Amino acid sequence: MELYVFLAVMAAAAMHAGWNALLKGNGDPFDTMARISLFGGVISGVAVWFVQWPVVAAWPWIAVSLAIHAIYRYFLIATYRAGDLAQVYPIARGSAPLLTAAGTALLLAETLSGWGYLGIAALASGVFLMSMKGSRTGQLDARAVGLALCTSVAISAYTIVDGYGARLNGSAASFILWEMLGNAVVMGITALLVRGPSVYAGLRTRAQWMPAAGAAALSITSYIIATWAMTKAPIALVAALRETGVLFAALIGAVFLSEPMTRWRWTAAVIIVCGVVMLRLR
């Protein structure tokens, strides 16, 4: 992986942790997700006019990705209702690289070197350690863990689909922007059916809509960068590096959400960094 791709993925990881923190720390997760999706649709609806039209072969993959993302949002919202950001985020994101590595090897015949797999294993071990010692009580909640693992399966599935679809399309931005526009429509319909127009009532003032708009911009930019990187490097490698966002999530959780930062998390951070180094040196 070229250095500029590596640094871009790390930046995308920080952005991803940022918008997840806004989702966790800004009221009811469902309402917040609906508002973020609304702004994501607005941004994508404007941006699609500045990218190429997706190729015919890419549309089925966009459709599959829309379905998987709908499942992902359901489990993500339920997960954040059940546990602390610094507990459930690492489980959800940390399991995904292992599943993605297995999936790309089986489905796309895409393999890494020994160092690559060791790096993924080290990174996953670090995020699990961070999660095991990450809640306010120091204990793992079984329901939160189960939901986080379901979220992880969905993450792995859409990562493989989007990475392959973007390669097929020849443009990551085109693929992801149309996908995000579709996601906004699906989420908007769901939100209106479940909550009614009141779901958007919290957008009357600048202080209310600015966080949602910022999270939407971070989400779209982060995922376009990550998917673009998957057209330049192995999908499993990019997926693993993207999960360094757990470090940023832990910091955000400690500073802004009053979630504990212990020596276990610092130990986990060192392990994660070692994994990143191995992935960089693969």
Side-chain angles (χ1 to χ4, degrees), residues 203-226:
L203 298 176
R204 294 192 179 96
T205 68
R206 180 188 179 95
Q208 293 170 328
W209 64 259
M210 279 292 286
L218 286 173
S219 175
I220 292 173
T221 304
S222 169
Y223 201 47
I224 287 177
I225 292 173

Side-chain angles (χ1 to χ4, degrees), residues 51-198:
V51 296
Q52 72 177 49
W53 189 265
V55 300
V56 173
W59 284 107
W61 294 97
I62 292 175
V64 172
S65 184
L66 287 177
I68 297 173
H69 272 85
I71 296 170
Y72 158 72
R73 284 193 298 273
Y74 169 81
F75 283 116
L76 183 67
I77 291 168
T79 297
Y80 284 162
R81 283 175 173 165
D84 286 349
L85 174 71
Q87 178 186 42
V88 297
Y89 183 92
I91 294 176
R93 304 306 309 188
S95 302
L98 301 175
L99 297 174
T100 302
T104 53
L106 291 173
L107 300 175
L108 304 181
E110 186 177 276
T111 59
L112 305 176
S113 67
W115 277 109
Y117 286 117
L118 283 173
I120 291 175
L123 195 150
S125 298
V127 296
F128 277 120
L129 176 60
M130 186 175 290
S131 179
M132 294 278 294
K133 300 295 181 179
S135 69
R136 290 183 176 92
T137 63
Q139 301 295 322
L140 286 171
D141 179 83
R143 183 171 181 273
V145 171
L147 289 168
L149 289 174
C150 288
T151 303
S152 182
V153 172
I155 292 169
S156 177
Y158 77 61
T159 297
I160 295 172
V161 168
D162 291 350
Y164 181 79
R167 290 177 179 178
L168 193 65
N169 188 49
S171 168
S174 169
F175 187 93
I176 296 305
L177 286 171
W178 279 101
E179 176 197 292
M180 290 288 188
L181 182 57
N183 281 333
V185 172
V186 173
M187 185 63 192
I189 293 172
T190 302
L192 290 173
L193 289 174
V194 174
R195 296 285 173 86
S198 63

